[in-house]
Amino acid sequence: WGKVPTVPADFVIDTDKRFGGTVTFFSKLKGYGFVELTEKGVVPENRLFVQWRSIKSADRFPFLMKDMEVEFQIAKWQGAAGKDQVSLRAMDVSLPGGSAVLLQDRVDAEKKAFIGGQEMRDFGIL
């Protein structure tokens, strides 16, 4: 999926504006991925890095799924790129309209069999 694009530190971006995009890749195991912006020409390569910490979610391990439509803000990130370069990241990632991304229960229900139902828990009292 390539490296995270960098821009000059003085690159101008509206950090308050909400943008829309589509998840092109997300590794649940590694906790990061990329989102392609719907509005072209805002950032180089029209894609942003997104980390699990930036996802608005109540899931234990927040994640995104490929081809999912999301909404987010763009933030500058000073990392290993050097003092004159920054990367741009998707922050405060939500579903369109601002709703939290809640995928874990749905994915669990599709892939797991729960004896007695998904909402039942065995607390294992001995």
Side-chain angles (χ1 to χ4, degrees):
W1 298 104
K3 65 180 204 170
V4 178
T6 59
V7 296
D10 61 354
F11 185 82
V12 178
I13 191 78
D14 185 352
T15 56
D16 294 323
K17 182 178 177 182
R18 302 283 294 168
F19 294 89
T22 304
V23 178
T24 55
F25 167 80
F26 195 88
S27 169
K28 185 176 179 184
L29 181 65
K30 294 180 180 180
Y32 72 86
F34 292 92
V35 175
E36 184 173 327
L37 277 80
T38 304
E39 186 179 335
K40 305 300 181 200
V42 176
V43 299
E45 299 180 32
N46 298 312
R47 69 183 178 115
L48 294 171
F49 178 82
V50 59
Q51 189 178 41
W52 68 271
R53 287 183 181 101
S54 301
I55 302 170
K56 181 180 169 183
S57 178
D59 286 341
R60 184 171 178 193
F61 300 106
F63 65 100
L64 301 172
M65 297 177 76
K66 187 176 183 342
D67 298 325
M68 190 176 170
E69 296 294 320
V70 292
E71 186 178 283
F72 48 87
Q73 291 171 290
I74 300 174
K76 291 182 181 181
W77 186 265
Q78 180 70 49
K83 293 182 181 179
D84 58 334
Q85 294 284 307
V86 296
S87 63
L88 300 173
R89 293 188 177 196
M91 301 296 286
D92 192 28
V93 180
S94 67
L95 294 177
S99 300
V101 177
L102 303 172
L103 297 173
Q104 194 62 60
D105 286 343
R106 183 177 62 117
V107 170
D108 284 351
E110 291 172 0
K111 294 185 177 181
K112 298 179 182 177
F114 295 92
I115 298 171
Q118 184 176 356
E119 65 285 338
M120 296 182 71
R121 302 282 190 251
D122 177 10
F123 293 101
I125 299 172
L126 299 175

